[in-house]
Amino acid sequence: MAQPDNKKFFENLSGAGKAIAVLTSGGDAQGMNAAVRAVVRMGIYVGAKVYFIHEGYQGMVDGGDNIKEATWESVSSMLQVGGTVIGSARCMEFRTHEGRLKAAHNLVQHGITNLCVIGGDGSLTGANLFREEWSSLLAKLVQQGMISDDAAEKYSALHIVGMVGSIDNDFCGTDMTIGTDSALHRIIEVVDAIMTTAQSHQRTFVLEVMGRHCGYLALVSALACGADWVLIPEMPPEDGWEEKMFGTSWDFYFVCVCKRVSHPLITLGFLGFDTRVTILGHVQRGGTPSAFDRILASRMGVEAVLALLETTANTPACVVSLCGNQAVRLPLMECVQMTQEVQKAMDEKRFEDAVKLRGSLRLYKRLSVPGADSEWPCAFSPIQSNFNVAVLNVGAPAAGMNAAVRSAVRVGISEGHKMFAINDGFEGFYKGQIKEIKWGAVGGWTGQGGSLLGTKRTLPAKYIGKIAEQIRKYNINALLVIGGFEAYLGIAELLAARGTCEEFCVPMIMVPATVSNNVPGSDLSIGADTALNAITDTCDRIKQSASGTKRRVFIIETMGGYCGYLASVGGLAAGADAVYIYEEPFDIRELQSNVEHLTEKMKTSIQRGLVLRNENSNVNYTTDFIYQLYSEEGKGVFDCRKNILGHMQQGGAPSPFDRNFGTKIAAKAMQWISKKLQESYRQGRVFANTEDSACLLGMRRRALVFQPVTQLKDQTDFIHRIPKEQWWLKLRPLMKILAKYKTSYDVSDSGQLEHVVCNRTKESDTTTTI
């Protein structure tokens, strides 16, 4: 795919002569280093000087060696490192006018008038105050004779762009903050380990997680691990909660508690329950950042540089945020004020207001205890609520499928439906491998990889008659299909059969689940995030294996069929030097150019190189061919190793993202089914044959969208089993820029400054993607 020519854009937006400083402040969060790396390399790419400010605001106040110019090489090998390598510190002196005066003097001495601040709401509020005082600070410095009038005029405006780095995800205006996903990884790793013990003893296990005044980590962890109860500050337990919690007989309990809600830990012991408590503490903030956080931070870092270059004296300070799958720019202080409004509501015990601002617990309540959610009533009267809904998995297994099935089953039951599980996809459908599935049958499914229902690639066209017979036999009124490209084709074939078989005139919906992420109509599929983490972790280990070896290049082959998503986005997360995919044809000249580029880098700075190749990127330029080419052309400079990752990308426990994405999207699909059943129920039967009664539910930019399957036909390359347009191709130039290639960067999606109240979709609590 040809890259857009943005030469004029960057000529008008040149960073030549500009100086950008980046600092991390407040608590550390995994992914901060990826953001720093992106700011430095994008800044250098546009011609600006970029400076590190070490130790946050303290380093800005102290000056000296704390402010250093950054080079391309100075951010090498930091992508996979947790914490922040430039340091972070809370600074009381910066809170004083005198402290900010010292900071302003230090910045002027280096010609810095552009600040990129990575931190929490306190750090960003301090940055905005610094910006507002800038003119008066310079005037005082002139008065004291510390700077000249010319310097004050030359550096008359300070521009601020923020990125939120916090594991708590407590900042309003963004769906996800840098570090949150990695913290969830740490929590879920511990939970999965504890659950094996929990299942061996009739005990109550209580896990305390971080979050300050925000219960996000506790709530999402509870969804991801299938906890029996979650206690968060936004919804403190009511009087008598102990009796309600233990009023039902269970084999064991698992309770997820936010740090601020500590009293249940004591109460459970007083009640005489055999309780074990695990307090995770700072382990949640440590370790390697997840693939999600690396990509999120990289995208935000680049967007922050663009925002700084576009800023004028009249532009308010902005914060780069994530809405759905899109980077947006929001006025910093609007976000801060909304965040403070939440805190005020919490302090005043207006918990309902806080919950409305932060999102609802309804989904969790529906999935935890039958009938626990009186706020989300069934869509039907008792006479009409006895519908039969079947769920099946189709295609290759993908981590997160089981979480989606669990969610669908429990939401369906809470809606009053009778849920049926179909084993082995459409093959099991026509063979009659169908049985009713109860609430308790899906307990513990969320954290298990693969497909517990079984999944096959068999398509239904040859077995239409037999499948119709099974639909009649079990009186199935609606279908939920969870799977990849075969699921999409299967729904289309069932839809085509409506003309001859009325049995298929029922609501049908597909939820995309495939590591290849090649389903049209959705930016992301269940399972892709887990596969990306497998790729990223493996690349980290492979590169680490060469830590004692000078100048080595690794050639890695990923899965994906003809879709280059895993290779491209995995390459961005792992810091690849080149990625070869089918969607961007390449020839021997490009391969040779890449070898020469890597050779030059090896001679001057880097010691390890990484090249990724999608499995079907080119029939002739195979992984072996590329390995041999690099080995031959790199003689005397570097040696090569190759690795084919294979099916390890499909296996393992699902990531927190895939667990929650599967949970949320399946719940939304069941809501759609309930609505369509209500609309199509006439004269004692369900009959649905309209175009919009067979849909695919996918994430498109900012929201989950229902799209009729028939409308997706023109968007599909059926020969290569990929969408004709793929959003992630716009990330390819970003990956090349960060690998020091000269290339054009598509700025068509660069965010314009929006208002907080306008940037959210109606379904703002649906999900978030990379």
Side-chain angles (χ1 to χ4, degrees), residues 332 511 688 692 725:
L332 189 153
V511 169
D692 66 350
E725 293 186 7

Side-chain angles (χ1 to χ4, degrees), residues 389-444:
V389 180
V391 57
L392 65 158
N393 293 337
V394 176
M401 276 183 164
N402 296 321
V405 172
R406 170 185 178 266
S407 176
V409 168
R410 293 196 168 180
V411 171
I413 291 173
S414 70
E415 292 268 332
H417 307 316
K418 185 180 288 187
M419 298 299 297
F420 287 84
I422 301 174
N423 297 109
D424 296 336
F426 288 117
E427 184 173 318
F429 204 165
Y430 84 79
K431 290 180 179 179
Q433 296 173 204
I434 305 168
K435 62 180 180 180
E436 185 180 356
I437 186 165
K438 300 286 189 178
W439 184 281
V442 292

Side-chain angles (χ1 to χ4, degrees), residues 194-205 250-254 274 276:
I194 289 175
M195 289 296 275
T196 57
T197 299
Q199 291 164 356
S200 303
H201 303 274
Q202 292 185 355
R203 287 174 177 160
T204 299
F205 285 79
W250 298 84
D251 292 331
F252 66 91
Y253 277 98
F254 193 83
D274 189 5
R276 297 293 183 271

Side-chain angles (χ1 to χ4, degrees), residues 747-760:
V747 295
S748 60
D749 270 351
S750 290
Q752 301 301 314
L753 195 64
E754 304 178 18
H755 292 287
V756 178
V757 293
C758 299
N759 101 87
R760 294 289 184 177

Side-chain angles (χ1 to χ4, degrees), residues 378 380-389 412-413 415-420 436 474-477 677 681 684 686:
C378 296
F380 307 99
S381 65
I383 297 175
Q384 296 180 351
S385 63
N386 191 26
F387 288 106
N388 295 341
V389 180
I413 291 173
E415 292 268 332
H417 307 316
K418 185 180 288 187
M419 298 299 297
F420 287 84
E436 185 180 356
Y474 290 92
N475 189 28
I476 293 173
N477 305 119
L677 284 171
Y681 184 76
V686 173

